[in-house]
């Protein structure tokens, strides 16, 4: 009898330990499989909180003034609003608009040109870029090792007395993995918990007909690189995916972004050229430049009346997820406010 | 009595595993390479110094008549010519093992390249992982030559790339045994072939990086220590 109880107790502990890890992430039941391998970076509350502190801490930059949140603001779905091109250290302006961060566990690659293959390595790019944070991971790790605040947090997360680059990157990943947006009106309609208005319903129908090829549900991106006919901005000459593959067939292709929370992530496109959603729709109906490698999904012209455009926009507004925007676990952590000896 | 026990405990680890090892010896011609201060010459009319030489060795296997007899686990080593301790790799093989060849990679395999953050020699803080694009730098060679028409006469070769068609990993097989366990890399031969007058910078994957990676095969050899 005692042995049975002991066995059950151990089994219960193992079971709750295992399900505890996964429950740190809200994974909607009907979504595709995760791209991120959690086995390589098992989640824990301590690592997530550590990653959250690092995300909001300008210690990652050379002048201690730029943090991840400087370009990825939580109240704008972690995008950089109001700026066509994002700026970093010393107000240096970059060449692209910082993308919104959500549902990253489902992404196959990162950056508009897919330069980064794994979420863990994403932070390296802005940390090291001279116009963004102008630091090096090596130096960041040195600074963290000199901080009593971080030594304590890393020890709690990793049970080790030395902070490494691997731990730093993996902790930031863990926080970013928790940024899941799946509670918009659209989601509750799909879960049969509410209904669209007539206008939203019409917009949804038009969206499925004209936009779903690239902006595929439920992530609202197919994750591929497409040329959507944006005439090249000759002040930037951004060749997009071709920068990485050196393949001319990839010129002006950019990764399809998600449309979730699109209400909050203006301006739009990789260079932020469109301030309003109306402009985006006008591009698709009247502005497409027919490059030879234009996405096949745009082979047929997109024809919409102005009323239909309004309907589509009203549908797009149903992708707004205020629970995500104001989630208490995603915003600036109190621990950073009280941290001394930094 | 205690002292005897203490000493035998000290010796014990060395008795239980065989002392098979591998040593890398960077050369300039037939001389051991000296970094930074030593001024070499390729064509008598030029002056050249080598400032940085770092590369990854991975996937070490020992072979006997072409058949693998031992494979190293977690086989990733970062070798740095400025840190001689990193140029010697202990091979924790079983004691009685016979081999006459070694197989190894210069660089990191594509699976590890696309994976998440790793530690130890693979930690991105080593400065051997590209920040602006994913991927390890397999081989890094930097220096100065009067033949380079670049800023400060610098040459910088950061050789990487793991995705087809620019996978620059080089798998090398060499004769190898307990009496022939030093692997040399002749940088004089390599720099001559690189032609510094026209090539002084490679910083991304592509054809030029592939050519330099393939050059490595011609300048690497195994000798008795």
């Amino acid at each position: 009898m005692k042995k049975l109880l002991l066995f059950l107790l151990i089994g219960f502990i193992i079971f709750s330990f295992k399900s505890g890890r996964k429950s740190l992430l809200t994974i909607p039941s009907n979504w595709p499989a995760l791209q991120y391998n959690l086995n390589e970076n098992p989640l824990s509350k301590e690592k997530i909180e550590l990653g959250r502190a690092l995300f909001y801490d300008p210690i990652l930059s050379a002048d201690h003034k730029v943090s991840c949140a400087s370009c990825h603001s939580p109240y704008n779905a972690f995008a950089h609003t109001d700026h066509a091109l994002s700026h970093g250290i010393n107000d240096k302006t970059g060449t692209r608009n910082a993308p919104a961060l959500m549902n990253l566990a489902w992404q196959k690659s990162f950056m508009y040109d897919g330069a980064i293959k794994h979420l863990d390595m994403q932070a390296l790019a802005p940390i090291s870029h001279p116009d963004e944070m102008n630091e090096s991971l090596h130096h960041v790790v040195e600074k963290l090792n000199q901080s009593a605040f971080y030594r304590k947090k890393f020890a709690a997360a990793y049970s080790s007395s030395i902070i490494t680059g691997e731990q730093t990157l993996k902790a930031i990943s863990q926080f970013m993995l928790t940024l899941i947006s799946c509670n918009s009106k659209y989601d509750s309609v799909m879960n049969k918990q509410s209904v669209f208005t007539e206008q939203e319903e019409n917009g949804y129908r038009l969206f499925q007909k004209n936009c779903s090829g690239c902006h595929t549900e439920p992530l609202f991106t197919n994750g591929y690189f497409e040329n959507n006919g944006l005439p090249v901005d000759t002040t930037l000459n951004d060749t997009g995916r071709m920068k990485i593959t050196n393949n001319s067939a990839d010129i002006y292709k950019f990764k399809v972004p998600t449309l979730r929370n699109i209400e909050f992530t203006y301006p739009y496109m990789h260079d932020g050229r469109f301030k309003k959603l109306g402009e985006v729709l006008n591009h698709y109906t009247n502005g497409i430049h027919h490059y030879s490698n234009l996405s096949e999904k745009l082979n047929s012209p997109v024809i919409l009346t102005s009323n239909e455009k309004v309907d589509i926009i009203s549908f797009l507004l149903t992708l707004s997820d205020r629970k995500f925007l104001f989630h208490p676990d995603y915003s600036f952590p109190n621990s950073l406010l009280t941290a001394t000896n930094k | 009595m205690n002292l005897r026990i203490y000493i035998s405990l000290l010796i014990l680890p060395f008795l239980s595993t065989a002392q098979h090892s591998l040593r890398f010896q960077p050369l300039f011609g037939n001389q051991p390479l000296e970094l930074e201060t030593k001024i070499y010459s390729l064509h008598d009319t030029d002056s050249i110094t080598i400032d940085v030489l770092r590369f990854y060795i991975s996937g070490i296997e020992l072979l006997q008549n072409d058949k693998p007899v031992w494979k190293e686990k977690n086989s990733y080593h970062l070798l740095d010519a400025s840190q001689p301790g990193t140029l010697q790799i202990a091979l924790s093989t079983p004691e009685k093992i016979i081999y006459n060849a070694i197989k190894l990679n210069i660089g990191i395999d594509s699976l590890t390249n696309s994976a998440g953050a790793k530690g130890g020699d693979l930690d991105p803080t080593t400065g051997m992982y590209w920040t602006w694009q994913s991927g390890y730098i397999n081989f890094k060679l930097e220096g100065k030559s009067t033949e380079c028409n670049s800023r400060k006469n610098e040459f910088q070769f950061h050789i990487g790339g793991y995705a087809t068609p620019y996978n620059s990993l080089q798998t090398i097989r060499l004769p190898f045994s307990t009496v022939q366990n030093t692997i040399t890399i002749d940088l004089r031969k390599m720099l001559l072939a690189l032609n510094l007058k026209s090539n002084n910078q490679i910083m991304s994957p592509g054809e030029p990086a592939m050519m330099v990676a393939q050059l490595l095969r011609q300048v690497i050899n195994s000798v008795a220590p």
Side-chain angles (χ1 to χ4, degrees):
Chain A
M1 186 56 185
K2 268 193 181 171
K3 274 193 181 166
L4 177 61
L5 281 175
L6 186 63
F7 179 76
L8 284 173
L9 180 66
I10 293 171
F12 175 73
I13 289 172
I14 293 172
F15 175 77
S16 59
F17 180 63
K18 273 191 127 159
S19 60
R21 280 184 191 174
K22 256 262 166 108
S23 70
L24 289 167
L25 280 190
T26 335
I27 298 180
S29 50
N30 56 339
W31 279 24
L34 292 182
Q35 294 290 322
Y36 191 93
N37 184 353
L38 289 171
N39 292 325
E40 283 180 355
N41 188 8
L43 299 177
S44 77
K45 237 179 153 291
E46 291 79 18
K47 289 176 186 157
I48 292 171
E49 281 308 302
L50 169 57
R52 182 181 175 189
L54 290 167
F55 187 91
Y56 284 98
D57 197 336
I59 199 176
L60 261 53
S61 62
D63 66 354
H64 293 207
K65 288 184 185 169
V66 184
S67 69
C68 308
S70 303
C71 286
H72 296 287
S73 151
Y75 307 122
N76 303 102
F78 294 92
H80 198 185
T81 52
D82 243 11
H83 294 77
L85 304 173
S86 296
H87 57 82
I89 198 167
N90 294 326
D91 289 350
K92 296 234 188 95
T93 308
T95 55
R96 290 183 184 153
N97 176 267
L101 303 181
M102 67 191 102
N103 305 334
L104 297 169
W106 284 268
Q107 273 186 224
K108 301 171 206 149
S109 66
F110 304 88
M111 309 284 254
Y112 286 110
D113 53 19
I116 310 294
K117 286 300 288 180
H118 194 285
L119 183 61
D120 289 353
M121 305 317 222
Q122 168 58 41
L124 283 175
I127 284 173
S128 318
H129 198 291
D131 297 337
E132 298 183 34
M133 290 163 149
N134 200 26
E135 251 296 3
S136 73
L137 182 66
H138 180 90
H139 194 229
V140 167
V141 167
E142 262 179 17
K143 291 194 278 193
L144 295 175
N145 272 305
Q146 285 159 15
S147 152
F149 171 78
Y150 278 112
R151 280 202 306 272
K152 198 167 165 205
K153 274 189 116 62
F154 271 85
Y158 289 101
S159 312
S160 104
S161 53
I162 300 178
I163 301 172
T164 66
E166 179 191 11
Q167 293 166 356
T168 305
L169 293 175
K170 280 182 160 168
I172 298 175
S173 276
Q174 290 214 5
F175 170 65
M176 290 198 285
L177 287 169
T178 62
L179 306 178
I180 296 178
S181 176
C182 57
N183 290 304
S184 62
K185 178 172 182 179
Y186 160 85
D187 294 299
S188 63
V189 170
M190 294 301 120
N191 291 332
K192 312 240 187 288
Q193 284 156 355
S194 55
V195 289
F196 284 134
T197 64
E198 206 181 303
Q199 188 176 43
E200 291 163 355
E201 183 67 54
N202 196 36
Y204 182 41
R205 189 187 53 79
L206 290 162
F207 176 86
Q208 286 182 310
K209 179 165 171 247
N210 293 288
C211 321
S212 287
C214 291
H215 294 287
T216 322
E217 302 165 69
L219 297 167
F220 287 88
T221 165
N222 59 7
Y224 293 140
F225 303 97
E226 308 270 9
N227 183 337
N228 70 344
L230 287 173
V232 64
D233 180 334
T234 51
T235 65
L236 293 170
N237 281 324
D238 191 342
T239 53
R241 183 63 179 155
M242 189 173 116
K243 264 184 86 177
I244 303 306
T245 61
N246 285 326
N247 185 349
S248 53
D250 286 335
I251 195 169
Y252 307 139
K253 283 189 186 175
F254 295 88
K255 186 148 56 74
V256 177
T258 179
L259 298 183
R260 285 178 172 274
N261 294 303
I262 198 78
E263 181 182 353
F264 308 108
T265 60
Y266 59 91
Y268 306 109
M269 303 296 166
H270 63 275
D271 54 9
R273 65 178 69 184
F274 298 134
K275 291 200 179 78
K276 297 190 162 179
L277 287 173
E279 292 173 52
V280 174
L281 294 182
N282 289 342
H283 161 74
Y284 283 111
T285 54
N286 296 67
I288 289 183
H289 185 95
H290 287 268
Y291 290 105
S292 57
N293 63 344
L294 183 73
S295 173
E296 309 171 330
K297 282 96 172 172
L298 293 170
N299 274 345
S300 325
V302 178
I303 303 175
L304 298 165
T305 66
S306 25
N307 279 343
E308 287 176 330
K309 287 180 187 175
V310 172
D311 288 355
I312 290 183
I313 291 176
S314 74
F315 163 70
L316 291 176
L317 297 182
T318 70
L319 300 180
S320 298
D321 179 356
R322 280 168 177 78
K323 201 167 161 194
F324 174 75
L325 256 56
F326 301 113
H327 200 301
D329 294 339
Y330 300 162
S331 58
F332 192 94
N334 283 330
S335 61
L336 270 189
L337 284 173
T338 52
T340 51
N341 189 16
K342 300 268 308 302
Chain B
M1 178 64 179
N2 277 345
L3 185 63
R4 261 187 251 168
I5 295 175
Y6 182 69
I7 289 174
S8 31
L9 281 174
L10 278 178
I11 298 172
L12 203 57
F14 293 100
L15 293 175
S16 53
T17 51
Q19 275 306 283
H20 297 272
S21 68
L22 157 63
R23 188 172 78 99
F24 271 83
Q25 173 66 283
L27 300 174
F28 194 91
N30 52 11
Q31 295 300 307
L33 176 74
E34 286 173 55
L35 288 179
E36 285 176 321
T37 47
K38 177 93 180 177
I39 300 176
Y40 295 104
S41 178
L42 293 174
H43 301 118
D44 293 332
T45 46
D46 63 310
S47 297
I48 179 170
T49 60
I50 296 169
D51 301 330
V52 175
L53 172 62
R54 306 172 78 205
F55 53 96
Y56 276 110
I57 295 296
S58 65
I60 296 176
E61 284 181 34
L62 295 176
L63 312 168
Q64 171 65 9
N65 298 334
D66 285 337
K67 286 200 172 66
V69 293
W70 180 76
K71 293 186 186 185
E72 188 181 38
K73 287 199 177 78
N74 284 326
S75 188
Y76 304 104
H77 306 272
L78 177 54
L79 278 67
D80 186 338
S82 71
Q83 300 190 33
T86 64
L87 300 179
Q88 180 118 1
I89 300 172
L91 305 173
S92 35
T93 63
E95 221 181 294
K96 291 189 192 318
I97 186 168
I98 303 170
Y99 49 87
N100 54 16
I102 191 169
K103 179 177 156 196
L104 49 78
N105 300 323
I106 303 181
I108 302 293
D109 60 280
S110 43
L111 219 63
T112 308
N113 264 289
S114 345
K118 307 249 178 210
D121 281 1
L122 293 175
D123 194 304
T125 49
T126 58
M128 291 292 280
Y129 191 92
W130 272 314
T131 55
W132 56 275
Q133 178 182 265
S134 284
Y136 283 96
I137 299 170
N138 292 332
F139 183 90
K140 193 186 263 195
L141 174 63
E142 294 178 1
K144 298 182 191 58
S145 163
T146 49
E147 289 187 321
C148 294
N149 59 354
S150 54
R151 180 175 173 267
K152 293 187 181 180
N153 296 124
E154 282 176 345
F155 58 86
Q156 297 180 86
F157 297 107
H158 296 184
I159 307 304
Y162 65 93
T164 338
Y166 300 126
N167 185 353
S168 63
L169 181 91
Q170 298 299 315
T171 305
I172 311 240
R173 260 170 227 253
L174 292 166
F176 191 79
S177 66
T178 44
V179 296
Q180 190 178 352
N181 63 354
T182 296
I183 298 184
T184 59
I185 302 182
D186 183 355
L187 287 178
R188 180 175 179 276
K189 197 173 174 189
M190 187 172 189
L191 287 163
L192 273 171
L194 278 172
N195 191 0
L196 293 172
K197 281 204 184 109
S198 36
N199 303 312
N200 55 52
Q201 175 137 311
I202 297 177
M203 290 289 193
S204 51
E207 277 295 343
M210 291 296 282
M211 283 184 337
V212 176
Q214 277 147 19
L215 252 186
L216 285 167
R217 316 183 76 85
Q218 295 166 32
V219 304
I220 199 167
N221 214 345
S222 64
V223 297

